[in-house]
Amino acid sequence: MSQLVQFTKDNDIGIVTINNPPVNALSPGVPEGISDAIDQIAKDDGVKAVVIIGAGRTFIGGADIKEFGKMTSGMTERGDGLLSLLLKIEDCPKPVVMAIQGVAYGGGLEVAMAGHYRVATRSAQVGQPEVKLGIIPGAAGSQRLPRLAGVAKAVEMCAEGNPVKAEEALKAGILDRLIEGDLLSGAIAFAREIASERAPKTRERNHKLGTLEQNTPIFAAARENASKKHRNMTAPLAAIDAVEAATTLPFEEGCQVERKLFTECLFSDQSKALIHVFFGEREVAKIPNIPKDTAVTPVNRAAVVGAGTMGGGIAMVLANAGIPVLLKDADQAALDRGLANVQKNYANSVKRGRFTQPFVDERLKLIKPTLSYDDFAHVDLVIEAVFEGMALKKEVFSDLDCICKPGAILASNTSTLNIDEIASVTSRPEAVLGTHFFSPANVMRLLEIVRGKATSKQIIATCMQLSKKLGKVGVLVGNCRGFVGNRMFHPYVRESVFLVEEGASVEAVDKVLYDFGMAMGPLATGDLAGLDVGWRIRKEYRHLEKPGIRQAFAGDRLCEMGRYGQKTGAGWYRYDENRRAIPDPEVAAMVRSWSAEIGIPQRQIPAEEIVDRCIYALVNEGARILEEGYALRAVDIDIIYLNGYGFPSYRGGPMWYADTVGLRKVHDRICEFQRQHGELWEPAPLLKRLAAEGRTFADLDKQKAAAA
Ligand code: 3HC
Ligand code: NAI
């Protein structure tokens, strides 16, 4: 038998243990091992029933995702997936009890559903998360799940991909019993109870499949929801089609439909991109030269300085993770405003069903408003979020240096300022770094962790680990102006404004990029964030711009007129009392006349050019950042853009997208823009080199990983 699967006995109960750390994925060897065990059990008269369980902390985390890339590149055979193994389990003459702890996801739940019974710990979760990888269940999950849980629940689970907790799974009929105490002992006892009963085969349980009349509205609603919530994505719709097949076709034919859809999805660009994202989110946690076992500082108490938009949100993030937090502001009115915002945000979360009232009450108790630095001596971490200004930040850090205990982490939420300069006013620059949250801080998943030149490895390791506890994706970035995300965003927005100045309408630019998959168009995003923010930054840094280089001016002109975006009721758009954007012909007319004044020729701009100008501006700057070492890997840039800037996950991030287009093509197009628009479009040297060598950013990442 395979080393990855062990077969033992507890008197008359056979125990099959899957042991493939860390998550017992169904890697090569695991299905074969289970199959051998079933053969052995079928022949063994001493075995009356079987328990299948995972070693370690989980049941089965699903198919081995690493294998998918090998399949699509033709390196391995595809076979029938797990289908024949699951039939073998289901046809086993002895009742099979699946004992679930941790998670049974994807292929893991599919294995579980082929058993005759399923028991689980209270903390276990089950799910068909395949759509998050751009695929659908590939081993009859879409056919067995509706037979256990009913059509509505199966559609929801397969199309949304979200996990279901054990208690809910029990109610839905996916599980048969929850086990308190030791899972294996409970599962063995359960197996003895049912050993002499007729074992039910899931594939034959048709009573929950519903009628055409009952199912039609379920599928219609699911399709409508998937098209809205997962715009442009193919897998959720394919998952719905597969579950529908379970309701209209016999089991075997339903499996064939599922298999065909699964294969189509697996070979799609969307799936390749989403698998890149899955591994990328884990890769960013790995920092070369900072080993996994680097000692971290426990963060049991924290403080936030500045109770404004960001400070309030950051305090919520800490409190949500159970960390008591002092929230300090300079004056009572600002503190009251900040706290009222926190309370309002929590109340909205309760209204939307994200949190319960008791949970919120507990969180609010953890946030202690204050006007003084009293008690700061006891905190392990301070995050500063006062107004953006070097002098003020230095003043705050100099105070913190005097008050905070040795070893405390001093972090700044600055979006543009130099972390080393901030650190220079302290006696402990090794304890200083940037923690750049994104607005709204309690919602956005991205956290850029900015490494100063003196920041210690321990502090970085602590903040990377803390980001996971806070429910964020922490990405380590270098200390350059705008760090990684905002530095790239600048040329992206610049191009969107240039396009408007050259004759595209505001709505056309936004719509084309929205259709490309961005959560919002760049101009509408500017209105939401406040056009004045970028305007102030541009004014502060104008002296650093090279003379003679074209500057986008239309956004600045709008600000000069007091049009700051949503907060003033007008920016690129006008806003009604419900903050709905209304195209404003006045803006179009003004931009036309301003452009005429300085002689910018007007023309019709095709959609393809809008996408290429904006997205390749991101890619070109990303390539510079990568070469300069401010991002560790191309995938880090992708993860930043997916989690902080609304880049569509099914395109894998800007650098992955450029790889899929082909770097030579991207480079040639950039050269074309350089000929038309001048030196702002000079291709990044790294891009030029990779394009000439016929390579990709992903190759470069692999090469770096191999060298590390
Ligand atoms: N295949 C291969 N590797 C996997 C994996 C999988 N299914 N699931 C997790 N891993 C790897 C991760 O890449 C990571 O590797 P690393 O340490 O080298 O970075 C390691 O296992 C640990 O993973 P996490 O850091 O995510 O550990 P957590 O404890 O936080 O979470 C988990 C564990 C809940 C299992 C989470 O990893 C997860 O959700 N995994 C994916 C589950 C999934 O999508 N399953 C469906 C796969 S597709 C399928 O089954 C198709 C079928 O229908 C045929
Ligand atoms: P804000 O203006 O909403 O809040 C700043 C708060 O700091 C105010 O409540 C003010 O009273 C308080 N404050 C000023 N001086 C203080 C002092 N000496 N001690 C204590 N409190 C003081 O500003 P916002 O938007 O929250 O920004 C804060 C920081 O976060 C800035 O550095 C900004 O660049 C950064 N940032 C902002 C983002 C955004 O979208 N708003 C996104 C990411 C970072």
Side-chain angles (χ1 to χ4, degrees), residues 60 139 193-194 408 524 683:
I60 298 173
E193 261 177 56
I194 52 82

Side-chain angles (χ1 to χ4, degrees), residues 22-23 25 57-58 61-66 68 82 103 105-108 110 128-130 133 135-139 262 278-279 282-283 286 292 468:
V23 300
R57 60 194 167 97
T58 207
D64 186 337
I65 301 168
K66 287 198 267 334
F68 292 146
L82 299 165
V103 305
Y105 282 172
E110 289 170 313
Q128 298 284 173
E130 288 88 342
L133 301 171
I135 53 175
I136 66 163
F262 170 83
F278 174 83
F279 287 116
R282 284 146 185 91
E283 192 67 19
K286 295 169 191 157
K292 228 175 156 184
K468 203 168 176 189

Side-chain angles (χ1 to χ4, degrees), residues 305-311 328-331 334 337 373 384-388 392-393 395-396 413-416 436-439:
V305 187
T309 312
M310 295 306 290
K328 179 191 183 300
D329 207 285
D331 69 85
R337 244 189 341 266
Y373 281 120
E384 163 281 309
V386 301
F387 301 130
E388 186 81 341
L392 177 60
K393 303 268 185 201
E395 197 184 304
V396 171
N413 188 52
T414 176
S415 36
T416 52
H436 184 209
F437 288 81
F438 288 71
S439 182

Side-chain angles (χ1 to χ4, degrees), residues 491 493-504 549-553 595 600 605 613 677 680-681:
V493 172
R494 176 199 75 207
E495 286 307 310
S496 71
V497 179
F498 280 172
L499 287 159
V500 172
E501 292 170 0
E502 290 165 28
I549 298 275
R550 179 177 171 189
Q551 304 283 344
F553 66 87
S595 296
I600 298 176
I605 301 180
R613 292 257 304 265
H677 303 285
L680 281 172
W681 275 104

Side-chain angles (χ1 to χ4, degrees), residues 382-642:
V382 184
I383 299 178
E384 163 281 309
V386 301
F387 301 130
E388 186 81 341
M390 186 52 91
L392 177 60
K393 303 268 185 201
K394 281 184 169 170
E395 197 184 304
V396 171
F397 272 76
S398 154
D399 289 346
L400 293 175
D401 190 37
C402 297
I403 297 151
C404 292
K405 65 184 183 188
I409 301 169
L410 308 185
S412 172
N413 188 52
T414 176
S415 36
T416 52
L417 300 173
N418 185 331
I419 294 295
D420 291 331
E421 195 176 338
I422 296 174
S424 70
V425 297
T426 72
S427 61
R428 43 174 134 179
E430 72 285 353
V432 178
L433 83 175
T435 48
H436 184 209
F437 288 81
F438 288 71
S439 182
N442 54 319
V443 176
M444 297 298 283
R445 279 183 85 212
L446 178 63
L447 176 59
E448 279 187 330
I449 295 177
V450 189
R451 182 181 205 159
K453 65 173 184 284
T455 314
S456 77
K457 290 183 180 180
Q458 181 171 354
I459 298 282
I460 293 170
T462 301
C463 289
M464 291 300 291
Q465 199 188 71
L466 180 68
S467 63
K468 203 168 176 189
K469 184 170 175 192
L470 300 182
K472 304 288 172 198
V473 181
V475 185
L476 187 66
V477 299
N479 179 27
C480 58
R481 176 145 59 101
F483 313 125
V484 170
N486 284 347
R487 178 171 155 185
M488 286 167 66
F489 203 60
H490 173 71
Y492 168 77
V493 172
R494 176 199 75 207
E495 286 307 310
S496 71
V497 179
F498 280 172
L499 287 159
V500 172
E501 292 170 0
E502 290 165 28
S505 72
V506 169
E507 307 82 84
V509 171
D510 275 351
K511 180 172 184 318
V512 166
L513 286 155
Y514 177 79
D515 289 347
F516 172 82
M518 300 299 292
M520 268 178 117
L523 301 160
T525 305
D527 275 0
L528 178 67
L531 297 177
D532 55 318
V533 178
W535 180 46
R536 278 183 231 283
I537 293 171
R538 284 192 294 279
K539 279 198 287 194
E540 191 165 332
Y541 288 106
R542 193 135 287 162
H543 65 285
L544 297 176
E545 304 289 354
K546 207 167 151 190
I549 298 275
R550 179 177 171 189
Q551 304 283 344
F553 66 87
D556 292 358
R557 292 270 183 107
L558 292 178
C559 287
E560 285 157 16
M561 297 167 70
R563 297 182 68 125
Y564 291 175
Q566 289 196 18
K567 60 179 140 182
T568 55
W572 290 108
Y573 296 87
R574 271 188 305 116
Y575 291 87
D576 66 13
E577 58 288 359
N578 298 318
R579 296 208 163 184
R580 221 181 359 234
I582 302 160
D584 190 344
E586 250 180 62
V587 171
M590 284 186 302
V591 179
R592 291 301 75 86
S593 93
W594 296 334
S595 296
E597 261 170 45
I598 53 171
I600 298 176
Q602 300 294 293
R603 64 196 170 92
Q604 289 278 336
I605 301 180
E608 191 199 355
E609 180 179 339
I610 295 176
V611 170
D612 290 355
R613 292 257 304 265
C614 293
I615 303 296
Y616 293 171
L618 281 179
V619 173
N620 205 30
E621 194 64 27
R624 278 185 213 288
I625 287 174
L626 198 54
E627 187 154 39
E628 290 164 15
Y630 293 110
L632 286 170
R633 292 152 293 228
V635 68
D636 292 43
I637 296 177
D638 287 337
I639 298 303
I640 286 174
Y641 261 76
L642 298 174

